[in-house]
Amino acid sequence: MGTVYPRGRKLWIGYKDARGKWCYSATDHVVGEEAKARKVLVAVEVRVAAGLAHGEADHGPVTLRRYSEAWVTDRRRRGLGSVDSDQGRLNHALPSLGRLLLTEVRPKHVRDLVRELRAKSGPRPDQLAPRTVRHVYGTLHTMFEDAVADELIEFNPCKVKRGELPKKIDKDPSWRSGAVFTRAEVEAVLSDERIPHDRRVLYALLFLGGLRFGEAAALRWRSYDTTTRPLGKLLVASSFNSHKRAEKSVKTEHTREVPVHGTLARMLAAWKLTGWSAMLGRQPKPDDLLIPSREERNRNVNHALKRFHEDLERLDLRKRRQHDARRSFITLARSDGARKDVLEWVTHGPRGDIVDLYTTLPWETLCAEVAKLRISLREGKVIALPRAANASEGNGASYDPSYSPPKLAASDRIKGGVDGTRTRGLRRDRPAL
């Protein structure tokens, strides 16, 4: 226990530091204000105790680098999903601030770091995106808030003037507009039979339900209620983390109910009736994953991204992220007249304020907005091409406009091409022209 004593008119405090050595320092209080000086002493002793808990007795005062390592470790132990991102962002700050004692970091140090990072931002691949600078600052702010809660420091030094942080823009401002899939591209991805059945169902959940990949990978058949009207219902309550290979709560930590678009319902029905059992050799049970891997495990986001890019290349479509399917769902639905505020309930759930948490939108309202999305599966058609159009020049073939080719049998057709219609050509027994 420390002490408060006078030296002249001033009040001083005495306390033991983390190494057990007595230290003495003056306060801002004078004789007669002993109660205030006692509060200063208590605050100092609390910080000393917190320092002991963070290894000051063995390793000396806590530096920003040491605290950041302990902070990341603690967040990983608590199972927070953003740990890897946090660690990567702190790596941008540690070269400049890591050597400072945690108690020495001031707002000017944080300001100088932001200016240093802004000088490195730009459109080139080796430069930082403006959003990255903001994310680094945000992670630092969160870490210092935890340091205040750990009673290692008295205040959060992450305070910068207006205009110091860059605006929320992308490194390449043009990529975001090109990330959206067109209606024709979505229908091609969902319809083309060159893409395996299971992957088309996965893509339908992303494009027609607005689900995140991890949410789709964690869905089980019991999550799908086909009895609700006017549309079926998907209960999105968990998400699969491919890095940790474990299911966790959804990103917003709010369970939400997603109306099943008519086209998605059609695909899920066919998948449950034949596709799932054809892939795994048995009928699905309620606790089975809706779209498992071929080893009956949750799908891995990195493996799925490679296959997604292969499928896009197969359809002669340019590469984009799987998450852009979610962006496309919102964009296309809004262009078809869906209300923004209702779509937000479908894709994100309630915002989190007390009024939203006490609000439940009518199921019919959610269904009505999702149903406005005009996406359907493409049906195969037979297109009879003139013989001369397929013949090479100089082979003597001629086109008879009076000839009417026969219809092809179903076995002679290929459905679901990029343009929605493909054929194998006419059978060999067709009459010669």
Side-chain angles (χ1 to χ4, degrees), residues 114 117-119 121-122 128-137 160-173 176:
V114 170
L117 296 179
R118 288 195 67 171
S121 64
L128 296 176
R131 285 180 181 270
T132 301
V133 179
R134 296 185 67 96
H135 288 325
V136 171
Y137 175 82
V160 295
K161 296 178 181 179
R162 182 183 297 274
E164 290 285 359
L165 290 173
K167 294 182 179 180
K168 296 179 181 179
I169 59 175
D170 300 307
K171 181 187 292 188
D172 179 7
R176 197 170 291 268

Side-chain angles (χ1 to χ4, degrees), residues 30 48 62 77 79 85 97 111 164 240 247 269 320 374 399:
V30 297
V48 170
V62 180
R77 178 185 58 79
S85 297
L97 304 181
R111 178 204 62 197
E164 290 285 359
F240 180 70
E247 292 187 16
R320 274 156 284 185
R374 297 196 303 271
Y399 169 54

Side-chain angles (χ1 to χ4, degrees), residues 4 86 96 170 177 183 262 268 294 321 365 367:
V4 176
D86 293 337
S96 299
D170 300 307
S177 61
R183 197 181 311 275
L268 288 176
R294 283 163 175 76
R321 309 172 306 165
T365 301
C367 293

Side-chain angles (χ1 to χ4, degrees), residues 198-235:
D198 58 312
R199 297 212 290 267
R200 278 184 280 134
V201 175
L202 168 63
Y203 302 153
L205 290 169
L206 306 182
F207 278 111
L208 302 179
L211 272 65
R212 300 177 179 89
F213 177 88
E215 296 169 345
L219 278 179
R220 300 182 185 273
W221 283 108
R222 57 178 156 77
S223 306
Y224 180 24
D225 185 354
T226 60
T227 64
T228 56
R229 295 291 181 269
L231 297 177
K233 178 192 301 181
L234 284 173
L235 181 64

